[in-house]
Amino acid sequence: MISFLDLKKINEPYEAAFQEKLKSVLHNGWYILGKETETFEKAFAKYCNAEYCIGVGNGLDALTLIFKAYVQLGKLRKGDEVIVPANTYIASILAILQADLVPVLVEPKLETYTLNPDLISEKITSKTKAILAVHLYGQWAEMDQINSIARENNLLIIEDAAQSHGAGRSLKSKVESQKTQSNNLQSAVAYSFYPGKNLGALGDGGAITTNDEALAKVLFSLRNYGSQKKYYNEYIGVNSRLDELQAAFLNLKLPNLDLDNDKRRVIAKRYLTEIKNDKIILPVWDFSNNHVFHLFVIRTENREGLQEYLVRNNIQTVIHYPIPPHQQQAFPNWNQLSFPITEKIHDEVLSLPMSPVLTELEVDFIVEVLNKY
């Protein structure tokens, strides 16, 4: 069986180094907000061309804390509206709700699956104060147009980059002054280091990058009980700190992220140029570095039939995601809403195996099987 994602194989080359890091952290005796976390925050900030990186417990906390920090700074208030894609993982929406803000769902483009900028303006009201752009599946949202709309309407921009670590970078072009990454934000970007991400830890982890000094100061405090100095609390904070051991593992893996992303793009290019089946709709990609292919998502009208066919041929796939947020039981007030493009995407998408350890022979086989379907 070709696994959808073989985490054991991905982490195997690091095993000896992981063991050394484990010993180092264990013997150091400093397990929370120590040198490994500080080192990773500095390295990831530099990687992202950002001034600040704040390590937190997970990707959901990263998003939630951004919104809560803006509330503390007075830039957002309870009940303010936030534009968010209707086609996203539920964490994007949970973060808005947990900060006592109001999500306003906007349809994606069917071609890219990301927020459709042409539909944003009609959803803006006097209560709209921010846009949450989600770089879904590893592909940048259309940030030039989204940023333009935000400037025209004096809106904050927050980016959910949980699936797009390193988008915009290239092994052939690492000049920091270019600042082309999605992470070069005017407000803040949230990341997840869940094990299956392009940069994955061995447990939960997350981070926020920003160039805003005031925002960073509040975030460093909020993640640590609302405190910058022990036992002195400025805000009503939370306990959400990037674990020292996970930071140590991430420090080992970060230098290889660009290379791993390039391997993903090579596989994606093969899928896009070699899969030739009228029953399968392939994703849209301009072959630039704006996609890091956290997921390679195809669409088909008979998803169940295709998925069963692939299982019979020893190819594992996953559905990202079977139920759109507005149809979730958790949101009964939304259940009667209609988002036909989002619903079509959620009814048809299927994610093929995609990882930097997928072999050429495995890709050959996947392509062959799909072309025979």
Side-chain angles (χ1 to χ4, degrees):
M1 175 72 74
I2 298 177
S3 299
F4 171 73
L5 182 63
D6 191 338
L7 289 177
K8 183 178 178 181
K9 191 174 180 181
I10 287 173
N11 286 310
E12 208 167 49
Y14 298 97
E15 184 173 353
F18 283 165
Q19 294 289 353
E20 287 302 313
K21 281 290 188 182
L22 174 59
K23 287 180 184 178
S24 175
V25 172
L26 180 64
H27 293 159
N28 181 50
W30 193 296
Y31 306 134
I32 301 292
L33 296 183
K35 289 184 178 180
E36 291 289 351
T37 300
E38 182 181 352
T39 298
F40 177 74
E41 288 175 336
K42 289 179 179 178
F44 196 63
K46 182 177 180 180
Y47 177 86
C48 296
N49 295 321
E51 293 295 325
Y52 306 97
C53 171
I54 301 93
V56 297
N58 53 70
L60 173 57
D61 284 356
L63 277 174
T64 304
L65 288 173
I66 291 171
F67 287 115
K68 288 187 174 183
Y70 276 128
V71 171
Q72 291 291 344
L73 290 169
K75 294 187 176 183
L76 291 173
R77 291 178 174 81
K78 181 178 179 179
D80 283 348
E81 295 177 351
V82 180
I83 300 290
V84 62
N87 178 49
T88 187
Y89 183 56
I90 198 169
S92 308
I93 292 164
L94 293 177
I96 298 169
L97 292 169
Q98 289 180 10
D100 293 321
L101 304 169
V102 179
V104 176
L105 305 182
V106 175
E107 286 270 52
K109 282 188 176 178
L110 184 59
E111 297 79 13
T112 63
Y113 309 129
T114 60
L115 181 63
N116 187 341
D118 297 332
L119 302 179
I120 293 176
S121 294
E122 64 189 50
K123 293 294 184 80
I124 294 175
T125 71
S126 60
K127 293 183 178 180
T128 308
K129 302 300 178 185
I131 300 173
L132 175 56
V134 181
H135 306 306
L136 197 66
Y137 308 148
Q139 177 162 292
W140 272 357
E142 295 178 48
M143 294 309 299
D144 287 346
Q145 195 172 346
I146 292 171
N147 282 325
S148 178
I149 293 168
R151 284 192 296 270
E152 290 171 5
N153 294 276
N154 195 29
L155 304 178
L156 294 169
I157 288 286
I158 296 94
E159 297 180 55
D160 181 345
Q163 299 182 358
S164 66
H165 313 67
R169 286 176 64 92
S170 169
L171 286 176
K172 298 177 182 178
S173 179
K174 292 186 176 180
V175 180
E176 288 187 20
S177 61
Q178 290 179 334
K179 293 184 181 289
T180 55
Q181 281 188 269
S182 63
N183 335 6
N184 179 36
L185 43 147
Q186 60 188 49
S187 55
V189 177
Y191 293 89
S192 166
F193 303 123
Y194 181 79
K197 304 298 186 183
N198 290 34
L199 180 61
L202 299 190
D204 270 324
I208 302 156
T209 57
T210 184
N211 293 325
D212 186 331
E213 183 179 3
L215 181 67
K217 184 177 179 181
V218 175
L219 286 166
F220 278 120
S221 182
L222 283 178
R223 70 158 180 195
N224 190 36
Y225 299 100
S227 172
Q228 296 246 13
K229 181 181 178 182
K230 195 170 185 179
Y231 303 131
Y232 291 82
N233 300 79
E234 305 163 273
Y235 310 107
I236 298 174
V238 299
N239 175 16
S240 182
R241 303 167 298 200
L242 179 61
D243 180 82
E244 187 74 355
L245 188 58
Q246 299 303 336
F249 296 154
L250 291 169
N251 280 325
L252 292 172
K253 297 179 76 174
L254 179 59
N256 293 324
L257 178 55
D258 283 343
L259 180 61
D260 286 345
N261 283 342
D262 271 14
K263 290 177 181 177
R264 289 173 180 268
R265 292 187 185 106
V266 169
I267 294 166
K269 190 170 184 179
R270 286 202 60 194
Y271 281 156
L272 286 168
T273 56
E274 296 177 29
I275 295 173
K276 301 181 186 302
N277 188 322
D278 292 340
K279 298 176 184 176
I280 295 169
I281 300 171
L282 299 170
V284 173
W285 179 37
D286 62 4
F287 298 101
S288 73
N289 294 318
N290 69 354
H291 207 320
V292 291
F293 287 97
H294 170 61
L295 300 171
F296 190 94
V297 180
I298 62 173
R299 291 191 1 252
T300 183
E301 290 185 3
N302 183 13
R303 177 172 64 192
E304 183 177 339
L306 177 56
Q307 190 170 39
E308 290 176 354
Y309 165 77
L310 290 171
V311 169
R312 290 197 302 271
N313 284 275
N314 295 311
I315 300 170
Q316 185 183 47
T317 58
V318 175
I319 299 170
H320 294 91
Y321 304 96
I323 305 172
H326 70 279
Q327 292 181 345
Q328 294 285 355
Q329 185 177 344
F331 304 132
N333 293 338
W334 288 353
N335 289 170
Q336 300 307 311
L337 296 178
S338 175
F339 292 95
I341 296 175
T342 294
E343 290 158 19
K344 181 178 180 64
I345 290 169
H346 284 252
D347 286 342
E348 295 181 352
V349 290
L350 189 65
S351 299
L352 300 181
M354 168 58 74
S355 82
V357 296
L358 206 60
T359 69
E360 287 190 24
L361 288 177
E362 287 173 329
V363 176
D364 288 343
F365 182 72
I366 292 166
V367 169
E368 180 183 356
V369 170
L370 285 169
N371 284 340
K372 289 180 178 178
Y373 174 64

